[in-house]
Amino acid sequence: MMQATRKTARAWRTRVAMILAVLLLAFLPLGAMATTLKNMSYQALPGGKVDLTLTFDGAPPQPKVFTTTDPARIAVDFDATSLDVPKPRLEVGSGATSSVTAVSAGGRTRVVVDLFQAANYTTRVEGDQLIVAIGSGNGGTVGAGPSGNPSKMLPSTSSISISSIDFKRNRTGAGQVIVHLSGSGANIDMHRSGDHVDVDFANAALPPKLAQRLDVNDFATPVTSVTTRPQGSGARMEIAARGSFEPSAYQSGNEYVVEIAPKSEQKATGVIGNGMTGPKYTGSRVTFNFQDIPTRSALQLIADVSNLNIVASDSVGGSITLRLVNVPWDQALAVIMRAKSLGMQRDGNVIWVAPQTELAAYEQARAETRLRAEEAAPLVTDFIPISYGKASTIAQLLTQKSLQNTAAGGTSSNVSRGFLSPRGSVTFDDRTNTLIVSDIPEKIRQIRALVAQLDKPVKQVLIESRIVIATDNFTRELGAKFGASGFFTNPSGQLVSTGATIADTTSLINSINAQNQVIAQNNLNQQYATQTGGTAPQPTLPPAITFPGGLNVNLPATNPAGSFGLAILGSNYLLDLELSAAQTEGKSETISSPRVITANQQPAIIKQGTEIGYVTYQNAPGGAGGLGAGTATVQFKDAVLELKVTPTITADGRVYLALDVKKDALAGFINNPGGGQVPQIDTRQIQTGVLVDNGQTVVLGGIYEVTKGMTEQKVPILGDIPGLGLLFRNTNRNNTKAELLIFVTPRILNESLK
């Protein structure tokens, strides 16, 4: 009786809805249905892009476009538009575009583009045609193209900016981020990355006052924060969420709405029962107390409470005794099925309950039917162009076996042929880099979806390195020259002389003796002239006395920058003193900055320097002395700056670098015993692996060397006298500091938005 009443009510509701729809159509203005969609067509472009052309019977109406990510779709709505196309569905299968479907209801027409993966799009108007340009799904955006007229693009995107950003919670508990734009036609791309959703506004400027982080934890939605920042000529919005959630987005005019809804757990999916481990029950609570109630009646009670449609198999029977107090209804359903060895399958809000053996047999029959359908399906051939990879590599991946041969020389009947059906085959053309796949239509669609995921451009990394070599030299030298000499006549009339050396003393004595001889000769000449009465000859001047020029201490600075001299000359002594000093300071800094760009997981090498040539000789046995003529050989040694790196981009956007950095320099030459000279190379090298954030600079390592030296020459004993000892010693101090630092900065290069 209850079921009959429900069917009657449902029939009345259907009739009332039809009457209202007819009345609505009857009272619509005549001008509201003036536009008709007459035709749909598409054109596959290079790089996996697709142009979808919608032809109307007049000027295209203003579209309302929104996108979803799960499943990936682009929906275009036209108000007050009827549908009159020859084919309402187009199978595309190119790039990221799977198919296009057009439907019409209530005076509105919707065109749904099914995608293999999320892709960007733009729209433009050409006469009575609206063209939707769909990207390849690899991160780039689609422009108007060389043939498009920028003045006819729908709408203009030359001066779009974000006016405001709002957040609210709807009645179902979902968080809504509402972005108000200054105009329509913004190029927007939404994609999910783990526990957050990224929304790129490629051509919408972000005012500085809106570049901020919104904390929305207090709204009790899956969204925790909304961060908006400029990116290139547009903006990026990062929506952080917690738990399990489902993102969706739609646009109406100048308003773009991102909705983050909590994801409902799909309970009772497939065959349940003994396989359930620690389930979580969230249904409304019920209380059952029945004695020997029919199992089918108990299932009917569960259906009434849960508002689900439960279909019981004819083989479900028997009775059950229930006494459940304040338990969730889904737990009560699980208890009933465990007690009666039942299982269930769920499709939306319809649950099919049957014995587990019957469900298992049903699944096996479905699998066998599917296999027989695949065996009977006709084979078709499809050509899949590959843009970024190698067709040969993808062909090998598609045909790779999942099980090895069970015995040498034989194959197992369970061996899988990769992603192809047993009758499928794949080959490739190297010249055009195209896959040629022959298989059933279902497998072709799966392979196209797989290729769309694999055929993506590899990210590239810019590695900037900086090698800094700094040296600091300091040298100080102090020295002195000191000499003392003299002479006198002792009481015995003997001449006594002191000098720095015996030669100096002898020279002084010889000089005095020569002077005395001249004086004595002059005296004799004078006496002779007096005795003879003649005129005395002109007396000869005695030679000057040559004092010793030697030094007792001769320890000056090697290359003095300044000196101070002092000399004291007495009647019979000479004292000389000279102090000299030199100080040298030097600083040098060598900075090398090699940088290189390479693809992810591809090694790269960059080096710059000099190959130093040198000659060596090899002598053959024979000839005099056992050696013959030498043979000259020219060899080379590298003195280069070299950077070897292999980057790996991690899933969280960081970069792991395997690095080998080397900085060599020529130190000098050494003589080769066999002839010629061999160069000496100063080597600085580091080999390491490091995990770095994108754009972060890290110091890989460094070498710090300090050399201190002191050399002292002195006169024993005298050089150790405090203060006075400075006159009898030479002191040389030398300090050298050298430092090597290596910095590395990796940057992931993103594709620029066009």
Side-chain angles (χ1 to χ4, degrees), residues 67-89:
T67 62
T68 61
T69 57
D70 190 12
R73 288 176 179 170
I74 301 174
V76 186
D77 285 351
F78 301 98
D79 292 333
T81 303
S82 60
L83 180 65
D84 183 16
V85 297
K87 295 177 62 177
R89 180 176 176 83

Side-chain angles (χ1 to χ4, degrees), residues 54 138 319 344 373 465 554 684:
L54 305 178
N138 292 319
S319 300
M344 65 180 177
S465 177
N554 187 14
R684 301 175 180 90

Side-chain angles (χ1 to χ4, degrees), residues 165-241:
I165 301 174
D166 298 328
F167 183 85
K168 71 177 184 179
R169 181 182 187 272
N170 64 9
R171 56 186 179 85
T172 62
Q176 290 184 336
V177 182
I178 305 171
V179 181
H180 298 276
L181 303 169
S182 62
S184 58
N187 191 358
I188 306 173
D189 176 30
M190 184 190 76
H191 56 277
R192 179 173 180 174
S193 299
D195 58 351
H196 63 276
V197 177
D198 295 335
V199 184
D200 291 330
F201 299 86
N203 57 346
L206 180 69
K209 64 179 181 180
L210 297 180
Q212 58 184 344
R213 181 180 183 272
L214 302 178
D215 189 348
V216 294
N217 274 298
D218 296 339
F219 285 83
T221 69
V223 183
T224 59
S225 65
V226 180
T227 305
T228 311
R229 64 176 185 272
Q231 178 173 281
S233 60
R236 162 166 284 199
M237 175 181 290
E238 293 183 0
I239 304 174

Side-chain angles (χ1 to χ4, degrees), residues 405-466:
N405 292 346
T406 57
T411 58
S412 170
S413 59
N414 294 326
V415 173
S416 171
R417 301 190 65 252
F419 296 92
L420 302 175
S421 68
R423 296 187 298 148
S425 63
V426 62
T427 184
F428 57 89
D429 179 26
D430 280 332
R431 186 178 61 85
T432 59
N433 203 31
T434 302
L435 283 177
I436 306 173
V437 184
S438 178
D439 212 325
I440 60 177
E442 179 63 25
K443 285 292 183 180
I444 293 290
R445 285 192 292 270
Q446 295 177 5
I447 291 174
R448 274 196 169 274
L450 176 64
V451 170
Q453 291 291 332
L454 297 178
D455 189 26
K456 295 181 178 180
V458 179
K459 290 186 177 180
Q460 299 184 99
V461 183
L462 168 64
I463 298 98
E464 297 176 304
S465 177
R466 179 163 296 200

Side-chain angles (χ1 to χ4, degrees), residues 726-743:
L726 295 174
L727 304 178
F728 300 95
R729 65 173 177 256
N730 175 279
T731 304
N732 188 321
R733 297 180 182 271
N734 190 351
N735 294 340
T736 303
K737 299 178 182 179
E739 188 173 8
L740 169 66
L741 293 175
I742 301 176
F743 304 85

Side-chain angles (χ1 to χ4, degrees), residues 540-555:
T540 304
L541 294 176
I545 298 176
T546 303
F547 291 94
L551 299 172
N552 299 99
V553 179
N554 187 14
L555 298 173

Side-chain angles (χ1 to χ4, degrees), residues 52-72:
L52 173 63
T53 302
L54 305 178
T55 304
F56 297 85
D57 60 353
Q62 178 75 17
K64 295 180 180 179
V65 186
F66 65 93
T67 62
T68 61
T69 57
D70 190 12

Side-chain angles (χ1 to χ4, degrees), residues 227-507:
T227 305
T228 311
R229 64 176 185 272
Q231 178 173 281
S233 60
R236 162 166 284 199
M237 175 181 290
E238 293 183 0
I239 304 174
R242 56 173 171 255
S244 181
F245 61 91
E246 293 179 343
S248 62
Y250 61 89
Q251 184 172 1
S252 177
N254 299 343
E255 186 177 89
Y256 185 81
V257 180
V258 181
E259 183 173 293
I260 309 297
K263 188 175 183 180
S264 58
E265 298 186 6
Q266 294 293 331
K267 299 185 180 295
T269 300
V271 179
I272 69 170
N274 296 333
M276 295 184 64
T277 303
K280 295 182 180 179
Y281 302 108
T282 59
S284 57
R285 296 185 175 272
V286 296
T287 299
F288 292 150
N289 189 357
F290 297 106
Q291 184 74 25
D292 290 333
I293 183 176
T295 303
R296 302 176 72 89
S297 299
L299 294 176
Q300 181 62 45
L301 292 174
I302 297 294
D304 293 338
V305 173
S306 62
N307 292 325
L308 295 176
N309 299 313
I310 298 180
V311 179
S313 174
D314 293 340
S315 54
V316 176
S319 300
I320 187 172
T321 298
L322 294 176
R323 189 180 184 280
L324 302 174
V325 179
N326 196 26
V327 297
W329 67 261
D330 45 357
Q331 184 178 3
L333 178 60
V335 169
I336 294 173
M337 289 190 297
R338 281 200 299 268
K340 305 301 291 184
S341 298
L342 300 175
M344 65 180 177
Q345 282 190 340
R346 181 169 181 171
D347 184 7
N349 64 342
V350 178
I351 296 178
W352 176 36
V353 178
Q356 295 182 9
T357 55
E358 184 177 337
L359 287 176
Y362 170 75
E363 292 293 340
Q364 183 177 0
R366 284 186 59 189
E368 293 176 353
T369 302
R370 178 173 52 81
L371 291 176
R372 287 194 295 269
E374 290 182 356
E375 294 175 357
L379 296 179
V380 296
T381 301
D382 196 8
F383 302 91
I384 305 177
I386 306 300
S387 300
Y388 304 102
K390 291 184 178 180
S392 57
T393 303
I394 297 180
Q396 182 180 3
L397 175 64
L398 294 177
T399 57
Q400 186 174 4
K401 297 180 180 179
S402 59
L403 296 176
Q404 300 296 328
N405 292 346
T406 57
T411 58
S412 170
S413 59
N414 294 326
V415 173
S416 171
R417 301 190 65 252
F419 296 92
L420 302 175
S421 68
R423 296 187 298 148
S425 63
V426 62
T427 184
F428 57 89
D429 179 26
D430 280 332
R431 186 178 61 85
T432 59
N433 203 31
T434 302
L435 283 177
I436 306 173
V437 184
S438 178
D439 212 325
I440 60 177
E442 179 63 25
K443 285 292 183 180
I444 293 290
R445 285 192 292 270
Q446 295 177 5
I447 291 174
R448 274 196 169 274
L450 176 64
V451 170
Q453 291 291 332
L454 297 178
D455 189 26
K456 295 181 178 180
V458 179
K459 290 186 177 180
Q460 299 184 99
V461 183
L462 168 64
I463 298 98
E464 297 176 304
S465 177
R466 179 163 296 200
I467 304 171
V468 180
I469 303 174
T471 58
D472 188 355
N473 299 321
F474 175 81
T475 302
R476 176 181 291 172
E477 186 176 5
L478 300 175
K481 292 181 180 181
F482 177 75
S485 60
F487 63 92
F488 64 93
T489 304
N490 60 15
S492 302
Q494 297 172 339
L495 181 64
V496 179
S497 175
T498 62
T501 62
I502 296 297
D504 295 333
T505 303
T506 303
S507 175

